[in-house]
Amino acid sequence: MEHVVVDGSEVVVKDPQSLRHKISSIRLAGPEKLQVIADFDATLTKYWIDGRRGQSSHGLLRQGSPEYDEKRQKLYEYYHPLEFDPTIPLDQKAKLMEEWWGKSHALLVEGGLTYDAIKKSVTNSTIAFREGVVELFEFLEEKDVPVLVFSAGLADIIEEVFRQKLHRSFKNVRVVSNQMIFDQNGQLVSFKGKTIHVLNKNEHALDMAAPVHDRIDNVNGLNEDNSFVKKRTNVLLLGDHIGDLGMSDGLNYETRISVGFLNDNVENSLESYLKAFDVVYLNDTSMQGVVKLASQLC
Ligand code: TMP
């Protein structure tokens, strides 16, 4: 086990030899075999911002109608504890999560969510990317390595966060999340395709990749060829929950390096994170270590 502090980031690797081996396999296969699969909330974004919890793509949304915001908050208070209840069997929990996402999406439509409200919500939100995310995306863009950003949140909000917080887009980055369909007046009318919730993130997300740039003009975004994801059989996976490892399930990968951000509750969770992830970063650290790791891979 290796437990070191590099450039202010505390990082733990349970099996350094296995990691070195994986790094050289991926490097040998070349960048054309590699893809990055990253969770969004609390993985690409910070867990803490100025002493406050950073918001998620769902959490930051203000619909412009306090009545509907409150209704969604009530759903959150009911379902969020169930999401983390270890006593509920997975199949039952999946049904509950489907129920939650279904009701929540229906409230967004019923409450007349507009694209304008999304823009305003992002402007007023407490959300920020980890330092080093831009560097990581730029490096991967240079190497033509695609990045799939997976989330059970809301694609349109995540893309607005990219626009407002990064002020640029990356041609290699795609968001795989729940996509909204707006009418000509910019009002939400429905959601596209099957709902992605926390427990089915892995099942079909690979088929739903839409480019981050120009998605407003290209609402379905599905006319792009997604076959590349299946051909790139080496994976660098970034997540903050053990369940995020399922994001690469749809892929018959050869070598996968998994990086876990353990943002909170380190004492209780470190052991299980070390079993699950090849590399574990502690205490809501920056993305700089991942930038270095990526540069060893291609
Ligand atoms: P993810 O970002 O890890 O993919 O998970 C999405 C989170 O969104 C999940 O923890 C539950 C949360 N959520 C809300 O906060 N409000 C909602 O209305 C819904 C449906 C989910």
Side-chain angles (χ1 to χ4, degrees):
M1 176 136 84
E2 208 170 79
H3 190 151
V4 288
V5 179
V6 188
D7 304 332
S9 291
E10 208 175 338
V11 56
V12 194
V13 176
K14 191 174 175 206
D15 188 344
Q17 201 184 341
S18 153
L19 177 63
R20 276 196 295 274
H21 187 72
K22 286 185 181 188
I23 290 172
S24 40
S25 301
I26 292 181
R27 191 177 179 88
L28 199 66
E32 56 288 348
K33 277 281 179 192
L34 178 65
Q35 63 177 308
V36 175
I37 302 180
D39 169 59
F40 180 72
D41 293 311
T43 296
L44 293 180
T45 61
K46 291 179 177 174
Y47 192 75
W48 294 109
I49 299 167
D50 301 329
R52 280 197 291 165
R53 274 286 277 110
Q55 288 176 309
S56 67
S57 66
H58 272 292
L60 66 81
L61 184 58
R62 297 292 168 269
Q63 234 171 300
S65 150
E67 180 197 342
Y68 278 88
D69 286 339
E70 197 170 315
K71 283 183 179 175
R72 282 186 302 115
Q73 178 60 23
K74 285 257 147 57
L75 290 178
Y76 179 88
E77 283 160 19
Y78 176 75
Y79 286 104
H80 191 60
L82 304 179
E83 183 186 348
F84 289 99
D85 186 338
T87 67
I88 304 174
L90 268 187
D91 56 335
Q92 263 182 47
K93 202 187 270 193
K95 284 208 183 92
L96 289 164
M97 294 302 108
E98 248 165 63
E99 220 175 81
W100 181 12
W101 262 253
K103 285 180 188 171
S104 181
H105 287 184
L107 285 174
L108 293 174
V109 176
E110 198 186 299
L113 176 71
T114 60
Y115 201 83
D116 245 22
I118 291 181
K119 281 192 193 157
K120 273 194 201 123
S121 300
V122 172
T123 306
N124 298 327
S125 65
T126 309
I127 193 164
F129 284 97
R130 290 183 196 276
E131 276 109 52
V133 166
V134 170
E135 228 176 304
L136 179 67
F137 286 175
E138 274 175 354
F139 174 77
L140 295 167
E141 191 177 43
E142 234 169 70
K143 301 281 178 184
D144 269 332
V145 172
V147 180
L148 295 185
V149 178
F150 276 56
S151 173
L154 298 159
D156 304 75
I157 296 185
I158 294 171
E159 285 159 6
E160 191 57 33
V161 174
F162 270 87
R163 276 187 211 102
Q164 290 194 27
K165 305 293 175 182
L166 298 185
H167 307 290
R168 56 161 298 181
S169 62
F170 298 87
K171 63 179 190 306
N172 57 327
V173 177
R174 291 177 176 208
V175 172
V176 184
S177 188
N178 296 299
Q179 293 177 22
M180 297 172 180
I181 299 176
F182 293 91
D183 65 14
Q184 286 151 331
N185 305 319
Q187 188 155 329
L188 176 65
V189 284
S190 62
F191 281 81
K192 189 160 195 43
K194 211 181 147 200
T195 306
I196 304 176
H197 57 72
V198 268
L199 290 181
N200 72 353
K201 234 173 155 178
N202 49 339
E203 273 172 27
H204 54 95
L206 281 176
D207 303 324
M208 295 184 66
V212 156
H213 56 285
D214 77 19
R215 232 192 45 74
I216 308 297
D217 305 323
N218 176 21
V219 170
N220 70 25
L222 296 176
N223 41 14
E224 292 232 340
D225 179 15
N226 293 324
S227 58
F228 73 92
V229 290
K230 303 272 180 190
K231 290 185 194 139
R232 292 180 176 258
T233 46
N234 290 331
V235 181
L236 173 62
L237 182 145
L238 314 176
D240 73 309
H241 283 295
I242 290 173
D244 288 334
L245 289 166
M247 296 189 298
S248 55
D249 278 1
L251 186 74
N252 202 3
Y253 62 80
E254 271 169 55
T255 306
R256 180 184 74 180
I257 295 179
S258 53
V259 174
F261 286 87
L262 179 49
N263 298 311
D264 209 3
N265 205 7
V266 172
E267 246 170 60
N268 293 329
S269 305
L270 184 58
E271 208 182 314
S272 56
Y273 271 60
L274 283 173
K275 269 194 198 137
F277 292 100
D278 296 303
V279 183
V280 179
Y281 283 99
L282 305 184
N283 302 322
D284 201 24
T285 191
S286 83
M287 202 50 91
Q288 295 300 346
V290 178
V291 175
K292 270 194 192 151
L293 175 60
S295 70
Q296 291 176 280
L297 300 179
C298 47

